[in-house]
Amino acid sequence: MIKREQVLEFLRLMQETDGGFTGTDLSDLAEILGVTSRGLRWRLSNWMKTDKEFSQFIYLGKEKHPITLFEFFKIDHELRENPIKVKKGIYGDIQEERKLRNQKPLAESTFYRHVKQEALLIYCSETDNWFKSKDIPFPEDYSLEKNRESLQTIFTFSDLKTYGGAKIDAICQRLTKAKEAFSIYNVDAKSILSRNIIP
């Protein structure tokens, strides 16, 4: 006979530790109770339809996902808050939490694969995510590589000074290029750069 309280307690434990139960969990429970998996599933299906205490439990699929529901939400939250955050820190936090719960460590490859999938799901891209998370508009032809390169060319002091003093023509050309780069974001390049590069 399948005892309601035993099943309820088992599913509560699965919900707390893994965020839900799997088909494998039910097979294990059926073996402990000495009943068939089919019989247990049938009984559970009825309880989930008629019993409020059972309706709260989440079915996670046939087999246990390597990442728990708690970890899924943690990764999702961290990526939405700061997509350029060092992922190693998130991974380390998850490992610590697993250690405290006496769970097996999460494989690094599984973690980074999930992070990549989640980033694509949230931002539809592996680049420009910081801008999207901050609601900063940018054109479709925006190139992250090109703008990173500009940090080494437009926004530097190189070739702006000589032994005789400042090269006014070079500064003027540099300001023109900076203005073009900043115009995407409606920023006054002259007021910013004049404080930083004009001697």
Side-chain angles (χ1 to χ4, degrees), residues 2-18:
I2 301 172
K3 293 183 179 178
R4 176 187 178 279
E5 291 306 317
Q6 280 184 296
V7 177
L8 186 64
E9 190 59 35
F10 178 83
L11 293 179
R12 276 181 183 150
L13 180 63
M14 292 297 101
Q15 190 81 8
E16 287 173 12
T17 58
D18 297 335

Side-chain angles (χ1 to χ4, degrees), residues 115-137:
V115 166
K116 184 177 180 179
Q117 290 171 345
E118 192 64 16
L120 288 171
L121 183 67
I122 297 169
Y123 301 107
C124 303
S125 167
E126 289 184 67
T127 58
D128 313 328
N129 296 342
W130 186 84
F131 296 99
K132 291 176 182 176
S133 71
K134 303 297 178 186
D135 294 323
I136 297 173

Side-chain angles (χ1 to χ4, degrees), residues 109-168:
S109 58
T110 301
F111 169 77
Y112 283 103
R113 183 169 60 248
H114 183 74
V115 166
K116 184 177 180 179
Q117 290 171 345
E118 192 64 16
L120 288 171
L121 183 67
I122 297 169
Y123 301 107
C124 303
S125 167
E126 289 184 67
T127 58
D128 313 328
N129 296 342
W130 186 84
F131 296 99
K132 291 176 182 176
S133 71
K134 303 297 178 186
D135 294 323
I136 297 173
F138 56 91
E140 289 182 11
D141 60 350
Y142 176 83
S143 168
L144 190 62
E145 291 74 22
K146 184 179 177 182
N147 282 279
R148 278 183 176 159
E149 186 182 331
S150 72
L151 295 174
Q152 299 172 351
T153 55
I154 299 174
F155 306 110
T156 62
F157 291 95
S158 61
D159 302 323
L160 296 182
K161 288 184 179 180
T162 65
Y163 290 110
K167 293 172 76 174
I168 303 300

Side-chain angles (χ1 to χ4, degrees), residues 50-77:
T50 60
D51 192 322
K52 286 184 180 179
E53 287 193 273
F54 281 90
S55 64
Q56 65 181 314
F57 300 122
I58 300 168
Y59 178 63
L60 300 174
K62 188 177 179 181
E63 295 180 352
K64 201 178 295 289
H65 195 276
I67 293 179
T68 67
L69 197 61
F70 172 80
E71 291 164 351
F72 170 83
F73 285 127
K74 180 179 179 62
I75 291 168
D76 181 81
H77 171 74

